[in-house]
Amino acid sequence: DIETVKLAFDKHTSSNPNPGLPPMVFLHGLFGSKANNRAISRQLAKKSGRDVYCLDLRNHGDSPHNERHDYPSMAADVERFIKDNQLGKPIVIGHSMGAKAAMAMVLRNSEICSGLVSVDNAPVDFTFGRGTGFSKFGKYIRQLQLIENKKDITTLKECDKLLSMVEPSLPIRQFLLTNMRKDPSGEGYNSRGPLTIIGRQLDNISGWPFNYQHSRWNGDSLFIRGTQSGYIADEYVASIGLFFPRFLLEDIDCGHWVTSEAPDAFISSVLRFVDTD
């Protein structure tokens, strides 16, 4: 039995809703939160006529912390959310870690969703790096812990300077620093997410615990690939087909952060997919 947590969420409603259409549920990636998908979800709600629910996965954003952080537990949390909020059979969209959580959910419960959109991730074990850039996350965690332990830091600019020692990209540093909050005492910065738990669970987050011989989903699925990213390399496409035989693959000319790098192309891709469900 998995101990589930009650997930925090934002709901974005269309100004011209079609009540007959199932809603969308949007899951963020590692170190993300529901705030990352706010702008894109408003656009999706407006253009699709559907409600869009942005969730904070366990150990992220405003959702509770839990020692267990793997795909079966994240999937169970989202399944509970869908049932608690009586969402019927929504379309679930996930980016990166959220994509694997979404995949895990439909593999665990084939009736839970009417459609799956996986954004730049594949049902593959990345524990040994495999060119995705995932191996950097251990360095990020250690540097964020260093920031937490420095009680003399007074500005995010100082946090950014320390983070720049392990990550040259300003947009990625800014994304990571959305997790840091000034301590109420005024001494230093703390992470919203439990860095020790996430650090211990990195192998679970990069891994993939399912076997296609026992787990397969025959629903409609869309896999969106950032062509400048390594997360859905050509050699991983066969794995997608083994788990999700009714999949479409769409390429977008961007890196891993598809929704921020190519929002219009992403929205168009999702709308084409949901309009055919």
Side-chain angles (χ1 to χ4, degrees):
D1 270 7
I2 295 173
E3 178 193 3
T4 58
V5 302
K6 189 173 183 179
L7 300 177
F9 71 97
D10 286 337
K11 180 181 178 183
H12 303 284
T13 305
S14 172
S15 55
N16 187 24
N18 185 331
L21 296 176
M24 301 183 198
V25 174
F26 211 134
L27 312 179
H28 60 78
L30 180 59
F31 286 117
S33 73
K34 60 184 185 296
N36 300 138
N37 299 318
R38 186 179 293 145
I40 207 99
S41 294
R42 284 175 179 154
Q43 288 292 310
L44 280 173
K46 179 181 177 183
K47 294 181 177 181
S48 71
R50 301 165 188 258
D51 290 338
V52 181
Y53 294 81
C54 288
L55 275 52
D56 279 340
L57 294 169
R58 60 171 53 200
N59 296 316
H60 286 72
D62 297 322
S63 284
H65 299 173
N66 190 284
E67 286 290 335
R68 181 171 176 179
H69 193 96
D70 56 18
Y71 291 113
S73 61
M74 283 185 267
D77 292 340
V78 180
E79 190 173 327
R80 172 184 169 181
F81 175 84
I82 290 169
K83 290 176 178 175
D84 285 353
N85 290 277
Q86 299 179 320
L87 300 188
K89 294 177 70 170
I91 292 161
V92 61
I93 305 171
H95 172 250
S96 199
M97 179 184 76
K100 278 188 168 176
M103 290 183 239
M105 186 171 66
V106 299
L107 291 174
R108 280 167 43 89
N109 183 340
S110 63
E111 300 299 316
I112 193 75
C113 291
S114 57
L116 165 71
V117 180
S118 169
V119 187
D120 212 47
N121 214 339
V124 174
D125 187 337
F126 292 124
T127 305
F128 300 106
R130 294 203 177 185
T132 61
F134 189 89
S135 55
K136 283 188 173 182
F137 280 102
K139 293 178 182 176
Y140 297 157
I141 288 171
R142 288 190 290 276
Q143 208 66 3
L144 291 172
Q145 287 174 322
L146 177 71
I147 291 168
E148 274 195 325
N149 291 329
K150 282 185 168 289
K151 298 304 179 187
D152 57 340
I153 291 178
T154 57
T155 66
L156 271 176
K157 191 173 181 181
E158 292 173 85
C159 297
D160 180 67
K161 187 175 180 181
L162 284 169
L163 203 50
S164 70
M165 295 165 69
V166 297
E167 177 49 66
S169 166
L170 178 60
I172 292 176
R173 296 200 307 271
Q174 288 173 330
F175 164 72
L176 292 167
L177 289 172
T178 61
N179 289 279
M180 304 307 287
R181 292 285 181 270
K182 205 156 196 175
D183 190 281
S185 69
E187 295 184 351
Y189 281 76
N190 294 321
S191 170
R192 292 171 70 183
L195 295 172
T196 302
I197 291 175
I198 293 172
R200 280 200 300 262
Q201 301 289 329
L202 276 181
D203 281 355
N204 283 332
I205 298 167
S206 63
W208 182 243
F210 296 90
N211 184 315
Y212 70 88
Q213 293 173 316
H214 308 294
S215 305
R216 188 171 293 176
W217 191 61
N218 291 308
D220 293 328
S221 55
L222 170 65
F223 282 72
I224 296 175
R225 169 166 64 175
T227 55
Q228 300 165 35
S229 160
Y231 278 84
I232 308 184
D234 287 343
E235 60 264 35
Y236 306 152
V237 175
S239 293
I240 297 173
L242 292 172
F243 284 99
F244 305 99
R246 293 178 59 189
F247 81 99
L248 297 170
L249 179 65
E250 285 211 15
D251 287 347
I252 294 179
D253 183 18
C254 64
H256 182 57
W257 309 96
V258 179
T259 56
S260 56
E261 293 179 46
D264 293 341
F266 169 78
I267 290 170
S268 296
S269 183
V270 172
L271 291 179
R272 280 194 300 274
F273 175 68
V274 301
D275 284 346
T276 58
D277 70 358

